[in-house]
Amino acid sequence: MVTRISGLASGMDIDEIVSKLMKTERAPLDKLKQKKQTLEWQRDSYREINTKIKDLQELTYTMLRPSTYGAKKVTSSDESAVTATGTTNAASSTIQVNRLASAATYKSSNLSGYTGSDQTLAFQVTAPGATEAKKIEIKVASTDTLDDIVSKINSSGLGVTAIKDKIYNGSEYVETIALTSKATGAGGSIQAADAATASFMTDQLGFAFDSGNKLVASQEGKNAEVVINGLQMEKTSNNFTVNNVTYTLKNTTKSAVSLDVSTDVDTIFNQIKDFVTKYNDLVDTINGKLTEEKYRDYTPLTDEQREAMSDKQVELWEEKAKSGLLRNDTILSGAANQMRTDFYSNVSVNGESLNLTQFGITTSSTYNQRGHLEINEEKLKAKIAEDPDAVANLFMAGTSSKDESYNEKGIMRRFQSVLTDTKKQIEGKAGNSSMSTNDYSIGKNLKQVATDISTWTDRLAQIENRYYAKFTTMDKAIQKLNEQSTYISQMLGQ
């Protein structure tokens, strides 16, 4: 540790002199810090692109599902009675609704005998249409009020909605609990699993049980009765699916309701449009990075430079300093070229050659938007309505097999491959948030730069101490000389 004497004898501002000397000495450290900042900006810029790639990959999986291109629209001739939706292979049908499905209701006679007790109620519950019962337990306490009992029934898995109310029994209003099954349909049951449960439900809550310990319904649940394409059938619910058509029954009908199934052009179009929008966002970002101007005079700011600027000046400076970090990058240029090839190359399906332009999707004529896609909405919608299978083949023909030729693969299968490869290359260069610095090249460079910064920081501390040591020695020598001069003057004066 150097004892620093700030020019007491010499009269010089040693701190200022050392500070100026160290400014020159600090230049290599400043360059290392600038290099570190540049690497971090470059890493973040790569990762920004990988985020967009991941988002597009998710959408690619949707574009590889047959259901995306098989969306159906079902039009009902009487929507007040029946509505429906359809999936791939759905066909038009007729349906007559003779009866709607209804839920079972159970009512207690009165609640005058309720006193409460500590016990666990056990039930075997069978849902309408089910063959196996489910055991349900409800713990009650002697301190529970009737409202507490209702609340516990509603929060249990008993499958009913309980309410407490007063009803007129013919002579007076009495409190009662009504249980309404959450599921419609015939065949459901609620059975007391033991004698204690049956006793509590009967003696304290006033419910009736049959000889099999099952709750007696005041109104039995009923199945819906329908006739679809001339075939009579029963369904436990008013919502059910037959032959890829999901029906929703609202009212009974006196005659058959027609349900016409057609291609859902708008839904399919919007799926393709959403993909193209995200694809264009990725392509525009990559093109922007590849052609971004590099301002070589704008390097990352040193601490001293930053302190001398306002926040707005720093922002404007760094905007230019960050520009062009991925200019002409080989990973990005390779990805951009491959994506354009994947989209514009023909797809061969059963001897037929399909191309994007046939479906109203073309590339932008603007040079700096290379690869940017534009949709002719009218033409694409017409093609979807005319031949949805051809649209599906364009995007998802073929398989993921490596043995399959490139032209036999649909655009999405090709595109999935280039996205995966590009994401992997970028992670090899810039990593991701879960990777250590040793797992990617920029990370290794950052680690080395951090080591060099630490080494230079230690070295600069030694250099600064050496300067102060020299000036301290000089100042002491001057002080001694001054003392000698004073002594000689005093001697001569005598």
Side-chain angles (χ1 to χ4, degrees):
M1 182 70 179
V2 177
T3 301
R4 297 177 177 177
I5 302 174
S6 301
L8 293 176
S10 65
M12 294 187 293
D13 187 346
I14 294 176
D15 287 336
E16 178 68 18
I17 294 171
V18 173
S19 176
K20 290 180 178 179
L21 290 170
M22 289 304 298
K23 184 175 181 180
T24 302
E25 298 285 358
R26 199 175 287 110
L29 179 61
D30 287 339
K31 287 187 179 299
L32 284 172
K33 289 183 176 180
Q34 288 173 319
K35 182 178 181 181
K36 177 175 179 288
Q37 181 65 83
T38 299
L39 287 171
E40 289 173 342
W41 284 341
Q42 191 177 51
R43 176 200 62 195
D44 294 345
S45 191
Y46 272 124
R47 290 185 181 182
E48 174 194 341
I49 292 172
N50 246 6
T51 297
K52 292 181 182 292
I53 288 177
K54 289 176 185 176
D55 290 343
L56 196 56
Q57 277 183 316
E58 291 298 319
L59 201 52
T60 301
Y61 298 136
T62 300
M63 297 295 289
L64 282 170
R65 295 187 190 127
S67 58
T68 297
Y69 311 95
K72 300 295 182 182
K73 180 172 63 177
V74 183
T75 304
S76 170
S77 62
D78 185 356
E79 291 193 350
S80 66
V82 184
T83 58
T85 59
T87 58
T88 305
N89 300 323
S92 299
S93 62
T94 60
I95 179 172
Q96 182 169 323
V97 184
N98 295 329
R99 185 175 68 196
L100 294 176
S102 60
T105 301
Y106 310 88
K107 291 182 180 179
S108 65
S109 56
N110 67 75
L111 302 171
S112 59
Y114 179 75
T115 58
S117 63
D118 293 317
Q119 70 180 92
T120 299
L121 306 179
F123 301 92
Q124 293 289 339
V125 181
T126 304
T131 56
E132 293 186 3
K134 181 172 64 173
K135 185 176 181 179
I136 300 297
E137 292 184 344
I138 303 174
K139 290 184 178 181
V140 297
S142 58
T143 55
D144 284 344
T145 64
L146 286 170
D147 288 332
D148 293 331
I149 297 294
V150 169
S151 178
K152 288 184 176 182
I153 290 173
N154 285 329
S155 61
S156 72
L158 203 58
V160 297
T161 298
I163 60 170
K164 181 171 72 74
D165 200 0
K166 288 185 177 181
I167 61 171
Y168 189 67
N169 65 3
S171 60
E172 61 178 338
Y173 282 93
V174 295
E175 277 195 314
T176 185
I177 290 178
L179 308 178
T180 302
S181 175
K182 293 179 181 179
T184 58
S189 67
I190 300 175
Q191 182 183 33
D194 53 49
T197 299
S199 176
F200 181 91
M201 296 294 289
T202 303
D203 300 338
Q204 298 204 46
L205 299 185
F207 284 99
F209 282 80
D210 63 16
S211 58
N213 267 355
K214 293 180 179 179
L215 272 178
V216 175
S218 57
Q219 179 179 304
E220 295 286 351
K222 295 180 180 180
N223 290 338
E225 290 183 358
V226 296
V227 179
I228 298 177
N229 291 344
L231 179 64
Q232 186 167 342
M233 58 184 76
E234 292 189 10
K235 297 292 180 181
T236 59
S237 172
N238 291 316
N239 295 278
F240 55 87
T241 301
V242 176
N243 292 338
N244 301 306
V245 176
T246 299
Y247 298 86
T248 298
L249 309 184
K250 298 179 178 179
N251 282 303
T252 57
T253 63
K254 293 181 179 180
S255 58
V257 174
S258 298
L259 296 170
D260 295 324
V261 177
S262 60
T263 299
D264 192 341
V265 174
D266 288 337
T267 295
I268 298 172
F269 171 82
N270 288 332
Q271 291 275 21
I272 296 172
K273 182 182 178 182
D274 287 346
F275 177 84
V276 169
T277 298
K278 281 210 168 183
Y279 165 78
N280 283 339
D281 182 39
L282 175 63
V283 167
D284 293 346
T285 299
I286 290 177
N287 284 336
K289 296 294 185 184
L290 289 172
T291 59
E292 200 171 48
E293 187 173 350
K294 177 69 175 175
Y295 299 95
R296 301 194 180 278
D297 292 335
Y298 287 81
T299 56
L301 295 168
T302 64
D303 294 339
E304 187 177 5
Q305 290 171 331
R306 185 182 295 273
E307 288 176 4
M309 291 183 176
S310 67
D311 290 343
K312 186 61 177 179
Q313 287 173 324
V314 170
E315 179 185 345
L316 294 173
W317 182 282
E318 290 191 343
E319 185 178 321
K320 282 186 164 57
K322 292 178 181 180
S323 180
L325 292 177
L326 300 183
R327 183 179 176 86
N328 297 325
D329 181 81
T330 55
I331 296 176
L332 300 186
S333 60
N337 290 335
Q338 187 58 54
M339 285 191 290
R340 286 196 292 271
T341 299
D342 289 344
F343 270 93
Y344 305 144
S345 297
N346 290 351
V347 178
S348 298
V349 181
N350 299 324
E352 183 182 4
S353 185
L354 305 176
N355 188 279
L356 270 181
T357 56
Q358 299 169 350
F359 296 80
I361 304 176
T362 57
T363 181
S364 172
S365 58
T366 306
Y367 177 76
N368 62 1
Q369 285 190 319
R370 292 173 298 172
H372 188 101
L373 298 177
E374 295 178 345
I375 297 177
N376 181 317
E377 182 174 340
E378 183 179 352
K379 187 173 182 179
L380 178 55
K381 283 186 173 181
K383 197 68 176 179
I384 293 171
E386 173 192 339
D387 194 351
D389 290 340
V391 178
N393 285 332
L394 173 70
F395 289 106
M396 53 170 286
T399 65
S400 299
S401 172
K402 293 182 179 180
D403 297 330
E404 200 169 47
S405 70
Y406 179 82
N407 287 340
E408 291 176 317
K409 293 181 183 292
I411 291 173
M412 287 302 108
R413 297 199 185 279
R414 303 169 182 171
F415 195 62
Q416 195 177 47
S417 177
V418 68
L419 289 180
T420 300
D421 290 345
T422 303
K423 177 173 166 288
K424 186 175 180 180
Q425 289 182 65
I426 288 177
E427 287 182 344
K429 187 75 176 284
N432 60 47
S433 59
S434 64
M435 294 170 67
S436 71
T437 53
N438 287 326
D439 294 335
Y440 57 99
S441 59
I442 291 180
K444 292 176 183 177
N445 287 339
L446 281 169
K447 187 175 182 179
Q448 182 58 55
V449 170
T451 300
D452 293 342
I453 287 174
S454 179
T455 300
W456 261 102
T457 300
D458 293 340
R459 184 182 300 177
L460 288 173
Q462 294 172 0
I463 293 172
E464 186 178 47
N465 286 336
R466 189 164 64 245
Y467 277 133
Y468 272 108
K470 288 181 178 180
F471 279 108
T472 298
T473 301
M474 178 196 73
D475 209 59
K476 286 181 178 179
I478 292 174
Q479 184 178 0
K480 188 174 183 181
L481 183 62
N482 287 340
E483 290 172 353
Q484 291 174 344
S485 177
T486 301
Y487 175 75
I488 292 171
S489 296
Q490 288 174 349
M491 290 297 293
L492 290 175
Q494 291 176 358

